């Protein structure tokens, strides 16, 4: 009986010991966090975005009157110079009207010459002389209108560039102000990028950028930046356009570009940059971050901060290059907590 009692006590002791060990192990289980290694002096690169190449300016070219297009002399992608003939409209009616207006003008001029002799001799009343002069002016005006209508049957390029789209072909009827072709100026282009609202404040008109366009096998430095002031209602992004020189015309509208903005704040200062959310505030108002020691334990480290750049903030004092800082998961930490990352 005593031996059975002893066995039961030993078993109970082992069970309690096992439960106690599990409890201790559970308490010591490390917490998973995300971290970032501090780097000074601008060693980090800027954020990369996807952009689309756009023409600097597009011009829709159209006839000023209605008519049947006789021929279109350009193709999509073709380079054109200012004043170059692009298309012609059937000018039969316009030419007939010009011939009629020219005949009326010649007739009016002949009458003017005959009546001038009478007027100079005093044989023609002044009222009739004024009436004849008015008819001559009217005939000349009609002739100039008819001459312009004939000239308008020829469509020329108002600017230099490349043909973007050909919208009307030979044999089709062109309406007034209906685009026949579009001419794109790509001597320089713009790369349009959508920037999240939390990051757009870190981009200025002079922020350096690097643009890589695989389709053109070309990498260039971006120029002046134009920032939109109205966000997209669905994506909460702002449109940013980067001006890029394109003297060889290899960058074409619609090409996809990879855009990287330089981390300007990091290039201009020796201060480290961390996500704004990584910096916490104590009850006394002092600021701190969670740093990870070599033994993978977390510790509160007091810091001083500088200016913010987008969603990152400069750390002016308190941490050194190479230290590991917790950026996500710090809510569950306490001093000395074991972490994994």
């Amino acid at each position: 009986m005593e031996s059975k009692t002893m066995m039961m006590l030993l078993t109970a002791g082992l069970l309690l010991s096992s439960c106690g060990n599990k409890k201790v192990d559970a308490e010591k289980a490390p917490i998973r966090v995300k971290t970032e290694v501090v780097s000074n002096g601008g060693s980090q690169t800027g954020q990369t975005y996807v952009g689309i190449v756009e023409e600097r300016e597009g011009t829709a070219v159209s006839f000023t009157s209605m008519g049947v297009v006789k021929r279109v002399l350009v193709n999509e992608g073709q380079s054109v110079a200012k004043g170059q003939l692009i298309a012609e409209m059937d000018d039969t009616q316009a030419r007939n009207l010009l011939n009629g207006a020219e005949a009326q003008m010649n007739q009016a001029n002949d009458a003017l010459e005959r009546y001038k002799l009478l007027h100079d001799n005093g044989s023609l009343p002044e009222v009739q002389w004024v009436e004849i002069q008015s008819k001559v002016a009217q005939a000349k005006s009609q002739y100039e209108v008819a001459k312009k209508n004939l000239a308008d049957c020829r469509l020329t390029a108002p600017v230099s560039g490349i043909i973007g789209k050909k919208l009307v072909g030979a044999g089709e009827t062109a309406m007034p102000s209906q685009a026949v072709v579009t001419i794109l100026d790509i001597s320089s282009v713009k790369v349009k990028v959508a920037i999240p609202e939390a990051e757009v404040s870190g981009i200025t008109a002079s922020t350096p950028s690097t643009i890589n366009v695989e389709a053109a096998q070309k990498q260039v430095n971006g120029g002046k930046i134009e920032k939109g002031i109205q966000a997209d209602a669905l994506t909460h992004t702002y449109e940013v356009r980067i001006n890029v020189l394109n003297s060889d015309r290899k960058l074409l509208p619609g090409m996809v570009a990879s855009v990287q903005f330089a981390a300007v704040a990091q290039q201009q200062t020796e201060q480290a940059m961390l996500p704004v959310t990584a910096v916490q505030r104590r009850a006394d108002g002092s600021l701190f971050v969670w740093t990870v020691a070599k033994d993978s334990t977390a510790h509160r480290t007091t810091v001083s901060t500088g200016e913010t750049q987008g969603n990152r903030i400069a750390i002016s004092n308190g941490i050194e290059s190479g230290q590991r800082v917790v950026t996500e998961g710090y809510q569950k930490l306490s001093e000395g907590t074991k972490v994994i990352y």
Side-chain angles (χ1 to χ4, degrees):
M1 187 68 176
E2 291 181 359
S3 62
K4 287 184 178 180
T5 302
M6 185 63 69
M7 287 294 293
M8 291 176 64
L9 289 173
L10 288 172
T11 302
L14 289 172
L15 289 171
L16 288 172
S17 176
S18 176
C19 291
N21 288 338
K22 288 182 179 179
K23 185 176 181 180
V24 170
D25 290 343
E27 290 176 351
K28 293 183 178 180
I31 296 175
R32 182 171 294 279
V33 295
K34 288 187 177 181
T35 64
E36 182 176 309
V37 177
V38 175
S39 178
N40 296 336
S43 61
Q44 291 183 337
T45 57
Q47 181 67 31
T48 300
Y49 304 88
V50 176
I52 298 293
V53 177
E54 296 181 334
E55 67 275 9
R56 188 183 75 169
E57 188 175 359
T59 303
V61 185
S62 60
F63 289 104
T64 58
S65 59
M66 184 179 71
V68 177
V69 177
K70 185 165 60 176
R71 57 176 181 162
V72 179
L73 303 173
V74 294
N75 296 310
E76 293 183 359
Q78 178 181 337
S79 296
V80 294
K82 182 178 180 180
Q84 181 177 333
L85 182 63
I86 293 175
E88 287 183 314
M89 184 184 292
D90 186 356
D91 61 358
T92 303
Q93 183 178 0
R95 193 172 296 279
N96 290 336
L97 291 174
L98 177 62
N99 291 336
E102 186 177 12
Q104 289 182 355
M105 186 182 67
N106 291 335
Q107 184 179 7
N109 285 331
D110 289 342
L112 181 65
E113 291 295 328
R114 291 195 303 269
Y115 282 107
K116 186 177 185 301
L117 295 175
L118 296 175
H119 177 265
D120 293 343
N121 293 332
S123 304
L124 185 70
E126 189 66 28
V127 174
Q128 193 173 355
W129 173 243
V130 172
E131 183 180 352
I132 292 170
Q133 287 182 314
S134 177
K135 288 182 178 180
V136 171
Q138 184 178 3
K140 184 178 180 181
S141 177
Q142 291 176 347
Y143 172 78
E144 293 297 332
V145 171
K147 185 178 179 180
K148 183 180 183 303
N149 288 338
L150 179 62
D152 287 343
C153 290
R154 291 168 54 87
L155 187 62
T156 58
V159 293
S160 298
I162 65 169
I163 301 298
K165 288 186 178 181
K166 186 167 67 172
L167 303 171
V168 177
E172 297 180 359
T173 299
M175 303 299 293
S177 301
Q178 176 189 6
V180 176
V181 297
T182 57
I183 299 178
L184 308 180
D185 181 358
I186 60 168
S187 56
S188 64
V189 295
K190 297 181 180 181
V191 178
K192 182 177 72 173
V193 184
I195 305 297
E197 60 182 10
E199 302 170 18
V200 72
S201 62
I203 298 175
T204 67
S206 57
T207 298
S209 61
T210 302
I211 300 165
N212 183 42
V213 183
E214 289 188 5
Q217 297 183 346
K218 186 175 181 180
Q219 180 172 308
V220 295
N221 294 324
K224 184 178 179 181
I225 294 175
E226 303 169 9
K227 292 171 60 175
I229 60 173
Q230 186 171 359
D232 185 280
L234 296 177
T235 62
H236 296 284
T237 58
Y238 288 83
E239 287 189 353
V240 168
R241 287 178 169 83
I242 310 165
N243 288 276
V244 179
L245 293 176
N246 189 34
S247 56
D248 58 4
R249 298 190 176 185
K250 286 186 177 181
L251 300 180
L252 301 176
M255 286 184 172
V256 178
S258 175
V259 180
Q260 187 176 75
F261 293 100
V264 178
Q266 295 183 26
Q267 292 178 340
Q268 294 178 346
T269 179
E270 292 300 320
Q271 295 178 351
M273 300 292 291
L274 288 175
V276 173
T277 53
V279 181
Q280 307 296 305
R281 187 181 296 275
R282 294 190 179 94
D284 62 2
S286 62
L287 302 177
F288 71 95
V289 296
W290 287 100
T291 57
V292 181
K294 292 182 178 179
D295 60 356
S296 296
T297 55
H299 302 278
R300 292 184 182 89
T301 302
T302 301
V303 297
S304 300
T305 59
E307 296 183 354
T308 58
Q309 294 290 334
N311 60 351
R312 301 180 73 83
I313 188 168
I315 307 299
S316 57
N317 190 30
I319 55 177
E320 299 178 355
S321 179
Q323 282 189 280
R324 186 175 293 276
V325 176
V326 178
T327 57
E328 292 185 29
Y330 45 77
Q331 296 87 346
K332 299 179 181 180
L333 298 181
S334 58
E335 186 66 26
T337 301
K338 282 276 187 178
V339 298
I340 55 175
Y341 47 87

